[in-house]
Amino acid sequence: MTFELQSPLDMHIHLREGAMLKTVAPLSAGTFAGGVVMPNLVPPVDSLARLQAYREEVLAGVGDAVFEPYMTLFFRNYTREELEAARDHVIGIKLYPAGVTTNSEAGVAVLEEAEPTMAIMEELSIPLLVHGESGGFVMDREHEFLSVYEHIATRFPQLTIIMEHITTASALALLDRFEKLHATVTLHHLLVTLDDVAGGLLDPHLFCKPIPKRPEDRSALLAAALAAHPRLMFGSDSAPHPVDQKECCGCAAGVFTAPIAVQVLVELFEAHDRLDRLQDFISGNAQRIYGLHPPEKTVLLEKADFTVPARYGDVVPIKAGQTLSWSLSGS
Ligand code: NCD
Ligand code: ZN
């Protein structure tokens, strides 16, 4: 049995830089036709010159593979001139509240002060991508941030807003209230809850931001993904960290899913008899929401066992050592 996907897109990925990029970029390009590349490098990607240099590094990293990097700038207060110049080179601007996740120290401390830039983005039709977490109790951070989304969506009704990597049923419910509000969801948040991270022996490879939530949250997200909810896109948030920064005290946040995300999604959608919805979830919705025309790329999978490697370079993937029921054709 085989299954084909056309131009799968990963609408939220961390490709890093240097040696790590050389390890992970070809893995994303192996199964995706394009991806939204996150700007949380050190220092962040917050100028057009740096973004263009980073795009070149990404393209060099993927080599001959067909893969379109959709670049993002790190949110700061930009001038109109900067935004006008950047407009044709970015898919959006990513806002991190200061300090909420990996490499977000340069993020926004006072959200009201971000509004002048948001107003220009609205005018220039530049989407706003948001890591939506408050500084509150870890399980409540996303829920607490929903009022910020409401505020931004009300104040800037023409601004396209993407709630990145949503983890709660309440974030999903907010989609119904604002026409220009959209969301990405990761693979791991469709698979795991806090129990899998910390309910038994601590699993550092599932530790990420936002922290996986309750079973009812996962169920709601899974139902929406399986239905290819029209405002929801797949975004892996694949976030590689070297093994010595995961298997240690002070474990870095991030789950590495890029090399097996497509295979596991096929397995998941097949298990729920919804394979017919996967194309929209993994590409169609993103194309419509962002107005993209991704490169043509056919990804062929076959129903054949595939054992996930223990490591890719020095990164441990999700499901390391486990056997999947689908593999990439020819792998
Ligand atoms: C991401 C990373 O490592 O860059 N980590 C994570 O846990 N998801 C940053 C992010 O998207 O929050
Ligand atoms: Zn991320």
Side-chain angles (χ1 to χ4, degrees), residues 12 14 16 38 40 94 96 100-103 131 133 165 188-189 207-210 237-241 246 252-255:
H12 183 134
H14 298 271
R16 313 302 193 205
M38 290 296 134
N40 62 331
K94 174 75 186 287
Y96 294 87
V100 292
T101 189
T102 310
N103 302 341
H131 183 117
E133 289 198 281
H165 44 52
H188 47 282
H189 291 112
F207 174 65
C208 61
K209 300 292 174 65
D237 194 16
S238 181
H241 293 276
K246 292 293 282 178
V255 182

Side-chain angles (χ1 to χ4, degrees), residues 75-77 83 95 108 111-124 126 128 130 148 151-152 155-156 159:
F75 192 102
R76 62 172 169 77
N77 272 325
L83 292 176
L95 187 153
V108 173
L111 280 153
E112 291 70 39
E113 291 173 7
E115 293 189 1
T117 295
M118 292 180 192
I120 308 169
M121 289 170 63
E122 179 184 40
E123 208 182 298
L124 298 179
I126 301 174
L128 175 71
V130 184
V148 178
H151 174 78
I152 300 173
R155 184 103 210 254
F156 305 107
L159 180 65

Side-chain angles (χ1 to χ4, degrees), residues 175-243:
L175 288 176
D176 295 333
R177 304 226 347 250
F178 298 95
E179 203 187 323
K180 301 289 255 182
L181 193 59
H182 306 86
T184 58
V185 66
T186 74
L187 171 62
H188 47 282
H189 291 112
L190 300 178
L191 296 176
V192 307
T193 68
L194 184 61
D195 240 15
D196 300 287
V197 186
L201 292 178
L202 187 70
D203 186 342
H205 301 293
L206 293 179
F207 174 65
C208 61
K209 300 292 174 65
I211 199 83
K213 303 290 187 312
R214 306 183 63 82
E216 50 272 36
D217 292 306
R218 180 187 54 179
S219 300
L221 296 169
L222 183 58
L226 291 170
H229 184 302
R231 301 277 192 79
L232 193 61
M233 303 170 272
F234 176 64
S236 71
D237 194 16
S238 181
H241 293 276
V243 63

